Amino acid sequence: MIEARRLHILRAVADHGTVTAAAAALYLTPSAVSQQLTALEQETGHRLVDRSARGVRLTPAGEILLAHTNAVLAQLERAEAELAAYSSGAAGTVTLAAFATGIGLVVAPALNRLAETAPGIRVRVQDAEGDASLPMVLDRQVDVAVAVEYRGAPGADDARLTRVPLYAEPFDAVLPVTHPLADGGRVPLAGLAKDVWIGPFPGNPCHDVVVLACEQAGFQPVMEHTSDDFRAVVALASAGAGVALVPRSALRGMDVTDVAVRPVDGIAPTRRVFAAVRCGAEEHPLIAPVLAALRDAAAED
């Protein structure tokens, strides 16, 4: 009989690529993870992983088992949801990871809704960048992620996750007031090809959006200044340090009197935001109201 917890460990190893990284995500020791993998191989009668100095890679038998693992773990999530519903599920805690702007735009309004519609549900919020929250969901560190599309993100057809689209927002150009394009209307990105740029660190999903937009406009941005804090980005632009692309919602409530904020000409770079849970968990009586509140908050924004 295959133990479900060992399937979870197999998926974590496949996701993270090394025993050490999987152990850290699961709050286990590397030796414990290795022991569980060995036990799983004994249970199945197949070698499931190849170990090397570079990390761990699933064997063909491991890949077969992983495909079933996603279905089994999703069904277990559904079973937990039905059991929770059977015992009413009217009260409990849901953990949620979201990036800062998403917290302000949809998470906080959703909490206000839940206080009225489901007062027994307590949501514990954790600030996490859009590319960090999805692994946290898969590793069961949190129940819900508010995340953004980024290069390498699990796709909408990923069997491990259920996604709920929330909103999409354009990026606006933020220019020093002395910039030649500051007094115009829409800004063509190609017109900023020779400028120094300010933007998020590599790895931040917004960095990918900015770089991809510039590449599509025919140039590679010279990212001389980096910050994941958009207030710092705007402050640097106001000091004449460079130009930037900033999500429109991040500019709300910010003092932009010392910069020029202009829409991008043509198809503007866009940040697409969604909520995600482990497949099957969307039916849980604690999680379903949270997803509904997030969706409603996004629809009213």
Side-chain angles (χ1 to χ4, degrees):
M1 179 70 69
I2 298 174
E3 291 192 19
R5 65 190 177 97
R6 290 174 181 154
L7 294 178
H8 181 61
I9 288 173
L10 177 70
R11 188 164 79 176
V13 169
D15 287 343
H16 293 281
T18 68
V19 167
T20 300
L26 298 174
Y27 300 103
L28 297 172
T29 64
S31 61
V33 170
S34 293
Q35 290 170 7
Q36 292 300 316
L37 286 175
T38 299
L40 185 58
E41 290 179 327
Q42 292 172 348
E43 288 173 344
T44 61
H46 292 278
R47 185 166 54 86
L48 302 175
V49 296
D50 284 327
R51 297 172 175 84
S52 69
R54 291 185 174 182
V56 176
R57 186 173 64 179
L58 296 189
T59 64
E63 293 288 355
I64 291 172
L65 184 58
L66 180 64
H68 289 285
T69 292
N70 292 330
V72 168
L73 295 183
Q75 191 59 40
L76 287 175
E77 293 282 356
R78 294 187 185 98
E80 290 181 8
E82 287 191 22
L83 288 171
Y86 176 75
S87 60
S88 82
T93 299
V94 174
T95 52
L96 183 152
F99 57 100
T101 308
I103 291 173
L105 198 62
V106 293
V107 175
L111 296 186
N112 286 331
R113 288 174 174 274
L114 288 169
E116 297 179 359
T117 61
I121 298 177
R122 175 174 173 259
V123 180
R124 189 167 67 241
V125 180
Q126 183 173 342
D127 190 331
E129 288 299 335
D131 59 335
S133 57
L134 294 179
M136 293 170 71
V137 167
L138 291 172
D139 292 334
R140 302 182 71 88
Q141 296 174 12
V142 298
D143 301 308
V144 182
V146 174
V148 300
E149 295 285 2
Y150 61 92
R151 290 178 181 178
D157 59 347
D158 193 297
R160 301 170 297 171
L161 295 168
T162 295
R163 301 183 2 161
V164 177
L166 294 179
Y167 65 92
E169 61 173 329
F171 282 60
D172 289 325
V174 178
L175 313 175
V177 292
T178 56
H179 194 280
L181 297 177
D183 294 329
R186 292 183 174 272
V187 173
L189 284 184
L192 306 177
K194 295 183 179 180
D195 284 280
V196 168
W197 280 74
I198 312 159
F201 285 98
N204 185 313
C206 289
H207 175 90
D208 289 345
V209 174
V210 172
V211 171
L212 181 59
C214 292
E215 289 175 350
Q216 291 174 339
F219 69 97
Q220 187 75 25
V222 178
M223 203 70 71
E224 187 166 319
H225 309 289
T226 49
S227 174
D228 287 336
D229 185 337
F230 288 116
R231 293 185 182 276
V233 171
V234 171
L236 287 169
S238 70
V243 301
L245 290 175
V246 176
R248 188 166 292 172
S249 66
L251 296 169
R252 293 181 184 177
M254 197 182 299
D255 183 5
V256 293
T257 55
D258 293 329
V259 293
V261 178
R262 298 287 180 267
V264 174
D265 191 30
I267 300 176
T270 302
R271 174 163 69 173
R272 303 187 185 281
V273 180
F274 59 92
V277 298
R278 291 180 296 278
C279 188
E282 69 276 7
E283 301 172 11
H284 194 286
L286 295 179
I287 293 175
V290 174
L291 292 176
L294 289 169
R295 188 168 47 240
D296 291 345
E300 287 196 357
D301 180 66

